[in-house]
Amino acid sequence: MVAKTTIVRYATAFFLVCCFVFSGKQVFAQRDAVPTDPEIISQGEQLFNEYQCNTCHKVDSKLVGPALAGVYDRRDLEWIYSWVKNSQALIASGDPQATALYNEFNQLVMAPYDLEDEQILSILAYVRDVEENPPMPEVAATGDGAAAGGDGSGIPSSYLNIIVAALVVVLILILVVLVIIIGVLKKYLQDKEGLDEADKDVVNEKFSFSAFVKSPTVIGIITFLVIALAAKNVIDGLYTIGVQQGYQPEQPIAFSHKIHAGEYEIACQYCHTGVEIGKSANIPSVNICMNCHSQIKTDSPEIQKLYAAQESGKPIEWVRIHNLPDLAYFNHSQHVKVGGIECQTCHGEIQEMEVVKQHAPLTMGWCIDCHRNTSLNTQGNGYYDKLVELHNKTSGTPMNVEDIGGLECAKCHY
Ligand code: HEC
Ligand code: HEC
Ligand code: HEC
Ligand code: HEC
Ligand code: HEC
Ligand code: HEC
């Protein structure tokens, strides 16, 4: 009896060890089947971006879809091929892994892709490469004075107001202290014997508020203060005519950059398709929203508005926030693509905004300030090689936008 159970025990243990070894073997076999050839990796990276897998997947963390790192460990390669080619067919076939995954991700549909096995394998090669050689964290762009936002007018107006208020408080305190001192002195003198008449008059003189207010000195001071304040406000007002810094209108659909660009890390360029190729950044059409919202949150009343817009064929009437006057020319690709400036430098932390707000004043002074203080992003741009060489011969400072004519009126005004 005893011997028999022992044998059963050993057999079970042996079986488990075998399973472990076998499955372990399979894990490595799968990963090892994914190529590490740099050429294939770069082809995979290209496909990953070109087919926009990157809008829903990251390698190391969850986005709209699962993190792809290690997918070759948890799935069979053949399974991955059929999944990418047509995930819905795989689910419909009753594949338990596919069904479980689909349910885990709230039945979000991943569209079918017309890709060859080899191409999918190259994408996996890219995924493996990123997983095993994670990219170095990017060194934050050095300031270069590019920190925009200030319009170069010295102390911000809000600080001035605080300083003025503090001064007023101090003055009032001094006044109160003086009045108390006068009171104490008067009392002291009154108690003192042997004052002559003249002194008594002074001590007993009643303070007349109306006489005080009517005195020419006080009227003069008050008039001066009122005029100065009014003038300051008028001048401030003139400077801010047409400046809409902080403008944050309500939009027809409660679209949140915080959810899309922040939580789900969808690239700005996915929606603002023009930023790298042209003057205007573009506001996305309903079709772009539908790439996801034909499946995501279909019951939400806000998303229903998208369906209504698509059905009626009328574009959504987003309220425009940033708007330069027609006399000024601004080009996004010049700044983003050539200049290498982050959106956030000019637009603030958009990925944290529920509702977009205008971050910069967009005044001429703001543009000019940055052009004076920002050195050119000349690295790897053959166009600039000769210019930089010439510049360095005559100047010890880095080449700024100013040095290529960034302050010339005609560059910004037609
Ligand atoms: C619109 C978003 C979206 C796009 C684009 C997308 N996927 Fe997916 N993918 C998903 C979702 C969501 C899942 C999880 C299953 C589900 O709900 O369908 C998934 C699952 C997967 C899986 C299985 C992962 C696992 O853990 O088993 C692989 C592999 C995959 N996707 C690869 C790709 C590739 C390759 C591309 C580009 C050719 C791509 N996906 C494009 C949304 C997307
Ligand atoms: C999923 C699509 C989507 C993504 C991703 C996205 N945006 Fe937007 N963006 C919109 C829509 C729609 C609007 C118009 C509605 C609004 O203002 O909220 C908009 C408006 C804006 C505006 C204001 C436009 C105006 O009227 O002046 C700025 C600036 C902006 N986005 C910058 C960004 C930046 C920077 C990122 C990346 C960090 C980004 N967006 C990512 C869809 C997107
Ligand atoms: C790449 C995929 C993707 C694209 C493109 C996209 N969204 Fe979204 N959207 C999401 C995800 C994911 C959520 C969050 C769903 C959740 O909270 O479960 C979401 C949530 C929303 C919500 C909130 C819905 C609610 O009731 O909670 C609104 C509104 C919305 N999106 C509007 C838009 C608009 C407008 C566009 C086009 C300019 C757009 N989305 C484009 C993926 C996307
Ligand atoms: C150097 C400053 C600067 C940078 C960097 C910048 N923008 Fe802009 N952006 C502006 C200005 C100025 C406007 C107003 C343009 C106008 O009215 O003609 C604007 C307008 C916009 C608009 C409104 C639509 C339009 O094209 O007029 C969107 C959307 C936008 N930017 C998105 C982005 C995104 C996304 C990025 C990053 C990829 C970015 N911007 C980078 C300055 C900048
Ligand atoms: C955050 C800094 C920054 C701000 C703000 C900025 N620019 Fe620029 N701008 C640059 C840089 C950097 C370049 C040089 C890009 C390159 O290498 O061509 C540039 C180049 C230009 C050029 C081309 C100059 C030339 O000689 O080729 C024009 C025109 C221009 N900007 C217009 C504007 C306008 C209009 C505004 C304000 C609405 C503005 N910029 C705001 C940084 C900025
Ligand atoms: C880097 C870009 C840039 C350069 C260079 C530039 N401007 Fe401007 N200018 C602007 C912008 C942007 C505005 C609009 C500002 C606003 O609406 O507050 C503007 C506005 C103006 C206005 C209208 C002012 C108003 O209040 O409506 C005049 C006039 C003007 N510029 C003249 C000039 C002259 C003259 C030069 C050359 C010495 C020059 N600008 C160089 C960007 C520039």
Side-chain angles (χ1 to χ4, degrees):
M1 242 348 241
V2 175
K4 205 172 166 192
T5 42
T6 317
I7 289 170
V8 170
R9 271 197 200 142
Y10 277 111
T12 321
F14 180 71
F15 176 72
L16 285 176
V17 169
C18 283
C19 282
F20 184 74
V21 169
F22 180 68
S23 64
K25 244 199 161 132
Q26 198 190 18
V27 165
F28 294 112
Q30 282 279 316
R31 182 181 283 264
D32 287 346
V34 176
T36 50
D37 183 343
E39 207 164 295
I40 299 182
I41 291 172
S42 95
Q43 186 196 345
E45 179 174 14
Q46 227 170 358
L47 289 169
F48 191 72
N49 296 329
E50 188 183 317
Y51 282 85
Q52 301 187 330
C53 314
N54 57 356
T55 44
C56 298
H57 292 290
K58 285 211 327 189
V59 172
D60 52 356
S61 60
K62 196 166 129 177
L63 214 53
V64 177
L68 291 183
V71 64
Y72 24 71
D73 298 335
R74 54 182 185 264
R75 317 275 184 221
D76 205 60
L77 285 183
E78 288 303 327
W79 184 94
I80 298 177
Y81 298 153
S82 358
W83 172 271
V84 175
K85 287 176 185 169
N86 194 340
S87 63
Q88 287 300 300
L90 195 60
I91 294 161
S93 77
D95 180 278
Q97 283 187 320
T99 320
L101 184 67
Y102 184 54
N103 290 331
E104 187 188 331
F105 281 83
N106 299 325
Q107 310 205 329
L108 252 162
V109 177
M110 176 174 135
Y113 288 90
D114 193 9
L115 288 164
E116 304 292 328
D117 291 357
E118 214 176 282
Q119 291 173 304
I120 298 172
L121 190 61
S122 73
I123 293 180
L124 294 180
Y126 163 66
V127 170
R128 178 178 173 188
D129 181 57
V130 176
E131 183 191 353
E132 291 175 358
N133 314 299
M136 287 288 181
E138 267 184 49
V139 180
T142 43
D144 281 347
D151 57 359
S153 66
I155 309 173
S157 185
S158 53
Y159 284 138
L160 269 185
N161 287 342
I162 292 173
I163 292 172
V164 169
L167 280 180
V168 168
V169 169
V170 170
L171 280 179
I172 290 176
L173 281 179
I174 292 179
L175 212 68
V176 169
V177 171
L178 283 179
V179 167
I180 292 174
I181 292 178
I182 290 173
V184 171
L185 280 178
K186 265 188 180 171
K187 190 136 198 308
Y188 171 75
L189 287 176
Q190 272 165 352
D191 292 349
K192 202 170 164 180
E193 300 292 319
L195 286 177
D196 61 27
E197 274 310 303
D199 283 347
K200 270 195 180 140
D201 274 354
V202 173
V203 170
N204 292 331
E205 190 185 40
K206 282 273 171 291
F207 172 74
S208 156
F209 185 71
S210 67
F212 172 74
V213 168
K214 281 182 195 143
S215 79
T217 327
V218 172
I219 289 180
I221 290 176
I222 290 177
T223 320
F224 174 77
L225 282 180
V226 168
I227 290 177
L229 258 179
K232 178 180 181 295
N233 276 335
V234 169
I235 292 170
D236 274 2
L238 283 178
Y239 270 123
T240 52
I241 284 180
V243 177
Q244 298 204 342
Q245 190 168 21
Y247 180 48
Q248 189 177 32
E250 203 174 302
Q251 299 290 349
I253 295 178
F255 174 80
S256 159
H257 279 81
K258 191 167 176 207
I259 294 180
H260 294 85
E263 273 167 52
Y264 288 96
E265 300 183 37
I266 303 170
C268 313
Q269 284 81 346
Y270 182 74
C271 290
H272 301 296
T273 49
V275 275
E276 292 198 342
I277 50 178
K279 174 181 183 304
S280 165
N282 293 351
I283 299 295
S285 67
V286 182
N287 292 342
I288 291 185
C289 314
M290 283 316 212
N291 288 346
C292 292
H293 285 293
S294 56
Q295 313 292 343
I296 298 178
K297 280 270 179 179
T298 50
D299 300 333
S300 154
E302 293 299 316
I303 300 303
Q304 298 284 332
K305 292 187 198 166
L306 286 177
Y307 302 151
Q310 198 183 37
E311 245 160 56
S312 70
K314 275 195 236 144
I316 301 163
E317 295 185 2
W318 301 110
V319 182
R320 181 159 187 155
I321 303 159
H322 299 75
N323 203 356
L324 288 176
D326 289 343
L327 55 87
Y329 173 83
F330 176 84
N331 184 315
H332 268 97
S333 79
Q334 174 124 45
H335 290 85
V336 174
K337 179 102 182 174
V338 188
I341 301 176
E342 304 263 333
C343 316
Q344 284 76 4
T345 309
C346 297
H347 292 300
E349 300 298 319
I350 292 269
Q351 73 284 358
E352 282 160 23
M353 297 182 195
E354 286 286 351
V355 180
V356 179
K357 183 172 172 181
Q358 182 175 320
H359 168 80
L362 306 195
T363 55
M364 180 163 139
W366 174 72
C367 315
I368 299 266
D369 245 23
C370 182
H371 284 187
R372 282 212 178 102
N373 298 326
T374 307
S375 51
L376 288 176
N377 172 32
T378 53
Q379 256 169 352
N381 189 341
Y383 176 80
Y384 283 131
D385 289 351
K386 267 258 154 351
L387 278 174
V388 172
E389 208 181 291
L390 276 173
H391 176 84
N392 289 349
K393 272 192 194 146
T394 53
S395 164
T397 54
M399 192 160 91
N400 285 349
V401 187
E402 180 176 7
D403 300 315
I404 56 163
L407 303 192
E408 283 166 25
C409 316
K411 288 275 170 72
C412 305
H413 297 293
Y414 313 94

